[in-house]
Amino acid sequence: RVPKRYRWTTFGSVAVLLLFLASSTLHRLGLDNTFASSSVGLRTLPRRPVVVGLQSGSLVLGTPDPTTHVGATLALAAAVGVGFLGHLLSSASAHRAAKLSRRAVTDRSDGLAGQQRVQRESGSERRVAVAATQVDEVQLVTDVSPDDGPSGTYQVGIDFQGWLQSCREELDVSNLRVEGSLPPWLRGSLIHAGPAKFEFGDDEFVDWVDGQAMLYRVQILPDGSCTYRNRWLDTWNHRSHREAGKIAVRETCSRPTISNFFARLQAMFSPPNNENGNLHISQVCGNTRCISMSVGSSMLEFRLADLSTLGKMPFADELTEGGPLIFHAEPHVDPVTGEWFTCAIQLKVDLDNFRMKPEYVVYSVEPTESQQPGAEVKRRLITRIETEYPSPVHTIGLTPQFIVMIQIPYPLNWDGMMKAEGKWLMTGQYEGNLNDYNTWQPERPTIIHLIDRVTGEHTEVFETDPFFFFHIINSFEATEGSSKVVNVDVVCYNEPPVGFPLQQARSGDVDDWRGGGGEVKRLRLDRSTGKCTMTGWPDNCFDEPKINPKVDGVQHRYSYGVIDDHGMLRVTKQDHETHEVLKWKEQDVSRELPWQPVFVPEPYNSQEDAGVVLSFVRDQPTGDTFCLVINAETFEEMARIHFPKGHHLPLHGHGAWMQGQF
């Protein structure tokens, strides 16, 4: 066998040569990678105009002289080299994946035997005890036969074909029709973000997360009247697609339609602008500045008053010097201090060892940062956690002392990414989607990290059996005898839920899809013994959880979300002490489809379930939408705020209530 050092030296030399050839070619083609500032003072990456090639009819970036052929030979060499390099990386990643899989089996048996795991922190080694997991046996909804459902069916009752059509209009409407009575204290704005444009010309995005972002706001004014407004996030990505009449720039899972090989090669070396905040809505800087973000998006700031887009939030720190931050977790705001927390993955390059060096980056934005729209913000780095198998973290937990971060065995799939990119380069066809970006590896454990939110100290690491999750419901600290414990309520799945490519779902071809949510489980992290135990809630089938923010980080009793009730979604109230489940009983389950509830606490009332639950509900036969208002204590319907008739609101992402802000 060739010595390892010689192999990597050869590999590195080839890579440097290929990058030099590609760089020379692209420089001759006029690619400019310098930074600039936009007219509104927010830092952006400049982009060359998207134009139509004069001879090939293809979409190209830049406007090179069509008579200039200098560099074509170099470009061809670079392209062949990139393909060769991709093959090497693909082979290397496959070899590495097999090696990590073998290592995971070893780590798994060692870890679950309660042995010692080594952590590296600041150049030193520290050993953290991990222990075997004790799991109460429960029956999972995914184990139930479809024949056990009513009338022998457990089929989906959701009209995805209608729900996933693009929004066609922006509206600004006053005096909405209201059925029922609104509480006199309920005054403010409910804002959701969501993908709302799924095609340009003949091109369709391959994944829901690529749909172009739209903001939706229902506002209850001081006099009790209601308004509705929806508006596109004005991003560079959306403008590029719209002006070209096709998919013109890369999104998280979709690639631009470019028929010319050399233009695709050039586009591969153009960094994405990451402007498509279509999933998470939150407020930073003491709940004064509104932002929208997504899986692969930068933080995009907008004005609450008119939903106009300010652009990328500018940062006065060096957090991204090692590379861009991707796969941001849903932001978590401390209800007492107003500090804003999240974590992301940074793909750093280890040049000494010729490998990727992924890290979790955990950071916050303090409430004392500038409240001036468009002003720079300094992020506070809490900690970095190096990992060989980074997996996306959708939500984090927060207690008065700790940040809870759960690392599931669903690492990024380098081999799949490389193959998808290589096929797009050679053929112009991209077939990747979000599910392809990760690989389920149940031979690995799930790891729970406890991080001191003030010092950043990585205090304890716990292991448990593999599970998949999107959402943490709540986490809280407790003292049980002599033991200090952190409890974490999580919506768990045995494995990643089966998803459908966007085009298939939009076509309505989901007849064989069975609904199903997750199981609510409580992880008990005993800091005294290092053991993690787990208790379940059988046949719960629940997700999209929300709690009263007044009990965020302390022991709670209730949560609110949606359950899959034999193929139809129901808004529910969950009692975590008695396991009682209350459903929105006024719902017409044959046609009314609720989604993504938001809890709004009643001011100056300490009772945990004093407040209302809001949810956008789709009437499936007509496609109309209304905002449901439910009394959180009795779980009885109080009011419906109707959107304009005929106005389509696609499947949307998470939302936030902003009390008394106009």
Side-chain angles (χ1 to χ4, degrees):
R1 296 180 58 177
V2 181
K4 181 177 180 181
R5 179 176 300 178
Y6 177 75
R7 283 187 282 123
W8 278 113
T9 301
T10 303
F11 173 78
S13 300
V14 172
V16 170
L17 176 60
L18 295 175
L19 290 175
F20 171 76
L21 291 174
S23 178
S24 301
T25 302
L26 297 176
H27 177 72
R28 291 176 181 273
L29 291 174
L31 183 64
D32 182 11
N33 288 323
T34 58
F35 286 85
S37 297
S38 70
S39 58
V40 294
L42 302 183
R43 295 179 180 178
T44 61
L45 277 173
R47 287 294 184 272
R48 301 183 65 82
V50 179
V51 298
V52 177
L54 298 178
Q55 296 179 345
S56 64
S58 65
L59 219 159
V60 298
L61 301 177
T63 53
D65 184 348
T67 62
T68 302
H69 298 281
V70 178
T73 304
L74 286 177
L76 181 59
V80 174
V82 167
F84 172 68
L85 181 60
H87 175 72
L88 285 177
L89 288 174
S90 178
S91 300
S93 64
H95 173 73
R96 186 170 183 80
K99 182 179 178 181
L100 288 176
S101 178
R102 292 192 297 270
R103 182 185 301 174
V105 174
T106 303
D107 288 348
R108 179 87 171 126
S109 59
D110 291 345
L112 294 182
Q115 298 188 13
Q116 301 290 315
R117 178 174 296 278
V118 177
Q119 278 189 312
R120 287 183 170 83
E121 292 187 355
S122 303
S124 62
E125 291 189 351
R126 182 167 68 88
R127 295 184 179 270
V128 178
V130 295
T133 304
Q134 301 172 5
V135 183
D136 291 352
E137 292 294 329
V138 297
Q139 184 186 31
L140 299 176
V141 171
T142 49
D143 296 332
V144 178
S145 168
D147 296 332
D148 294 337
S151 303
T153 180
Y154 199 66
Q155 300 281 329
V156 65
I158 302 173
D159 174 24
F160 281 110
Q161 184 174 15
W163 208 9
L164 289 171
Q165 297 307 306
S166 295
C167 185
R168 302 294 182 185
E169 57 191 356
E170 293 179 316
L171 298 180
D172 186 9
V173 182
S174 302
N175 297 315
L176 298 178
R177 182 169 66 92
V178 178
E179 287 185 273
S181 300
L182 297 172
W185 55 264
L186 187 65
R187 301 294 184 265
S189 298
L190 173 62
I191 299 184
H192 279 277
K197 177 70 172 173
F198 303 105
E199 71 288 307
F200 288 90
D202 295 330
D203 294 346
E204 286 188 74
F205 293 120
V206 299
D207 199 287
W208 176 73
V209 299
D210 293 335
Q212 297 304 285
M214 176 167 273
L215 303 175
Y216 311 92
R217 184 193 68 198
V218 171
Q219 194 170 58
I220 305 176
L221 299 175
D223 64 0
S225 65
C226 301
T227 70
Y228 169 77
R229 184 165 193 167
N230 68 310
R231 194 164 182 178
W232 297 107
L233 267 182
D234 185 16
T235 64
W236 179 84
N237 288 39
H238 195 161
R239 290 193 301 272
S240 299
H241 299 315
R242 185 177 64 243
E243 292 167 6
K246 59 177 71 176
I247 299 176
V249 295
R250 68 170 58 219
E251 297 286 352
T252 300
C253 300
S254 300
R255 296 297 177 263
T257 300
I258 305 175
S259 59
N260 183 281
F261 173 84
F262 295 105
R264 289 197 298 273
L265 175 65
Q266 183 176 350
M268 287 188 71
F269 288 88
S270 179
N273 214 20
N274 294 336
E275 290 191 17
N276 192 20
N278 61 12
L279 189 56
H280 303 305
I281 292 288
S282 63
Q283 290 183 297
V284 294
C285 306
N287 291 327
T288 60
R289 297 171 63 178
C290 301
I291 60 170
S292 184
M293 54 197 296
S294 185
V295 174
S297 173
S298 302
M299 293 168 57
L300 296 165
E301 186 175 6
F302 65 91
R303 291 186 178 92
L304 176 60
D306 60 0
L307 303 186
S308 60
T309 306
L310 292 171
K312 288 184 179 180
M313 179 164 280
F315 296 109
D317 55 54
E318 300 175 349
L319 212 59
T320 57
E321 275 197 349
L325 300 177
I326 61 174
F327 290 107
H328 276 87
E330 181 179 354
H332 201 134
V333 181
D334 187 302
V336 177
T337 67
E339 188 170 5
W340 183 98
F341 295 85
T342 190
C343 73
I345 296 173
Q346 190 170 48
L347 302 179
K348 303 178 75 172
V349 179
D350 183 356
L351 295 177
D352 294 333
N353 297 297
F354 298 101
R355 66 183 181 95
M356 299 297 293
K357 186 181 177 182
E359 291 182 344
Y360 287 107
V361 180
V362 185
Y363 67 94
S364 73
V365 176
E366 296 180 331
T368 54
E369 286 296 307
S370 175
Q371 299 182 1
Q372 179 65 34
E376 287 189 331
V377 170
K378 184 175 182 179
R379 294 168 288 191
R380 179 175 75 90
L381 175 63
I382 297 173
T383 191
R384 293 178 179 270
I385 302 174
E386 185 176 339
T387 178
E388 289 189 339
Y389 56 104
S391 60
V393 177
H394 190 73
T395 54
I396 57 175
L398 209 62
T399 75
Q401 183 178 354
F402 299 109
I403 297 167
V404 181
M405 191 188 85
I406 300 177
Q407 182 178 358
I408 57 177
Y410 195 48
L412 297 178
N413 179 9
W414 309 112
D415 186 47
M417 292 182 187
M418 289 295 299
K419 288 181 178 179
E421 291 289 342
K423 182 173 182 179
W424 176 73
L425 174 64
M426 302 305 296
T427 68
Q429 301 295 318
Y430 191 81
E431 297 180 351
N433 62 55
L434 203 58
N435 288 337
D436 298 330
Y437 283 11
N438 305 88
T439 302
W440 181 241
Q441 296 182 351
E443 67 272 14
R444 296 185 180 278
T446 290
I447 299 174
I448 302 101
H449 304 267
L450 288 187
I451 303 162
D452 190 292
R453 50 186 279 182
V454 176
T455 67
E457 182 183 0
H458 196 188
T459 54
E460 282 98 11
V461 177
F462 298 84
E463 284 189 1
T464 187
D465 292 332
F467 65 81
F468 180 89
F469 89 108
F470 291 112
H471 300 109
I472 293 176
I473 300 172
N474 194 23
S475 53
F476 58 93
E477 303 167 35
T479 300
E480 300 175 2
S482 60
S483 298
K484 292 184 177 180
V485 174
V486 175
N487 292 295
V488 188
D489 283 4
V490 188
V491 181
C492 300
Y493 296 77
N494 271 354
E495 58 187 18
V498 176
F500 287 95
L502 179 62
Q503 295 178 10
Q504 179 181 349
R506 295 185 74 207
S507 71
D509 182 18
V510 291
D511 289 341
D512 59 347
W513 184 82
R514 260 186 65 218
E519 297 287 341
V520 176
K521 296 184 179 181
R522 176 163 292 179
L523 308 181
R524 181 182 179 275
L525 311 178
D526 191 326
R527 300 180 57 209
S528 303
T529 64
K531 292 182 179 179
C532 172
T533 55
M534 182 185 297
T535 55
W537 186 339
D539 297 324
N540 189 249
C541 208
F542 176 75
D543 214 329
E544 306 300 335
K546 292 293 185 292
I547 61 171
N548 185 334
K550 294 179 181 179
V551 296
D552 191 356
V554 298
Q555 186 165 359
H556 65 286
R557 178 172 179 175
Y558 304 111
S559 65
Y560 308 84
V562 293
I563 65 168
D564 184 324
D565 189 8
H566 299 97
M568 193 60 186
L569 299 182
R570 306 289 301 274
V571 179
T572 62
K573 175 183 181 179
Q574 319 275 125
D575 188 324
H576 289 247
E577 291 184 4
T578 66
H579 288 186
E580 181 184 12
V581 177
L582 297 180
K583 301 175 184 177
W584 167 37
K585 58 179 176 293
E586 294 87 357
Q587 177 184 3
D588 182 347
V589 295
S590 69
R591 59 188 300 159
E592 292 173 347
L593 179 66
W595 186 238
Q596 295 281 359
V598 172
F599 185 93
V600 183
E602 181 178 343
Y604 313 111
N605 192 329
S606 60
Q607 182 177 320
E608 183 181 339
D609 58 356
V612 298
V613 175
L614 306 179
S615 174
F616 287 175
V617 179
R618 174 180 171 83
D619 181 59
Q620 296 197 103
T622 65
D624 293 338
T625 302
F626 62 88
C627 180
L628 172 69
V629 184
I630 297 179
N631 183 312
E633 181 180 3
T634 65
F635 225 64
E636 295 176 350
E637 180 177 324
M638 299 181 69
R640 299 184 178 197
I641 306 172
H642 290 271
F643 295 7
K645 280 189 171 296
H647 176 62
H648 169 60
L649 197 154
L651 171 64
H652 54 81
H654 299 307
W657 172 261
M658 301 173 189
Q659 177 74 19
Q661 299 183 43
F662 305 102

